[in-house]
């Protein structure tokens, strides 16, 4: 298993990986090749893929705003789970964020994503009961449910 920095040329395999994972929330703008390209340009050293041979079997997107780190779209192909791949991806992303001086990371998980929520709990990410998550679409997007 090889963990390496994600490149835009990985997009097609990564997108297919996301589609193979029930519970992923994708949309046609932010999660398009162009949208992911913008994210990778802003965060060139904090997004990683896990490869076995020439196949991408895991991915994590991470970035920061200068004070907080944010983790997005972490996924491991269902056939490769329970091998420590997600933990290795998270470790790579956290270490990359630390190298940029980031001390705290946050993420959002759909409440119905039981596997994801169990993983993040095991990794020490706690639920914040004192916050309300809000968002507003600036541009209409189509949601792609898996």
């Amino acid at each position: 298993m090889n963990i390496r920095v994600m490149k835009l040329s990985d997009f097609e395999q990564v997108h297919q990986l996301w589609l193979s994972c029930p519970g992923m929330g994708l949309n046609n703008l932010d999660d398009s090749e162009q949208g992911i390209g913008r994210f990778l340009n802003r965060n060139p050293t904090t997004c990683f893929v896990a490869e076995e041979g020439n196949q991408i079997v895991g991915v994590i997107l991470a970035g920061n705003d200068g004070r907080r780190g944010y983790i997005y779209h972490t996924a491991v192909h269902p056939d490769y789970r329970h091998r420590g791949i997600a933990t290795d991806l998270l470790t790579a992303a956290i270490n990359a964020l630390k190298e940029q001086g980031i001390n705290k990371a946050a993420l959002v998980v759909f409440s119905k994503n039981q596997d994801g929520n169990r993983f993040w709990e095991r990794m020490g990410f706690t639920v914040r009961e004192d916050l309300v998550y809000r968002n507003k679409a600036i541009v209409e997007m189509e949601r792609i449910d898996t």
Side-chain angles (χ1 to χ4, degrees):
M1 188 65 52
N2 180 43
I3 305 290
R4 65 166 173 79
V5 170
M6 183 178 169
K7 304 174 291 202
L8 187 56
S9 60
D10 297 322
F11 175 78
E12 191 55 44
Q13 280 194 64
V14 166
H15 192 258
Q16 290 304 311
L17 170 63
W18 286 332
L19 293 175
S20 77
C21 296
M24 287 295 297
L26 303 174
N27 69 61
N28 66 328
L29 294 179
D30 298 333
D31 303 317
S32 67
E33 187 169 2
Q34 183 180 14
I36 296 301
R38 281 192 306 271
F39 191 85
L40 293 175
N41 284 337
R42 289 181 56 90
N43 303 284
T45 63
T46 56
C47 301
F48 296 89
V49 294
E51 293 178 305
E52 187 164 286
N54 62 355
Q55 181 181 1
I56 292 175
V57 299
V59 62
I60 189 168
L61 300 184
N64 75 82
D65 62 11
R67 50 185 287 281
R68 290 275 189 275
Y70 299 94
I71 298 170
Y72 307 92
H73 289 14
T74 305
V76 173
H77 190 282
D79 294 343
Y80 290 83
R81 291 185 181 166
H82 307 292
R83 298 183 188 183
I85 296 169
T87 302
D88 290 347
L89 286 165
L90 177 61
T91 299
I94 292 292
N95 287 340
L97 290 169
K98 280 184 194 175
E99 287 177 16
Q100 294 184 8
I102 302 302
N103 300 311
K104 192 174 192 180
L107 55 91
V108 175
V109 184
F110 287 111
S111 59
K112 67 182 180 180
N113 184 344
Q114 295 177 2
D115 290 341
N117 279 296
R118 278 192 295 272
F119 171 76
W120 294 114
E121 185 74 23
R122 281 195 318 272
M123 295 297 105
F125 285 77
T126 58
V127 174
R128 295 281 308 259
E129 302 289 347
D130 59 328
L131 300 175
V132 175
Y133 176 79
R134 297 180 187 270
N135 69 1
K136 178 179 174 56
I138 297 171
V139 176
E140 283 301 315
M141 19 187 167
E142 180 182 319
R143 192 168 155 166
I144 305 165
D145 289 318
T146 59

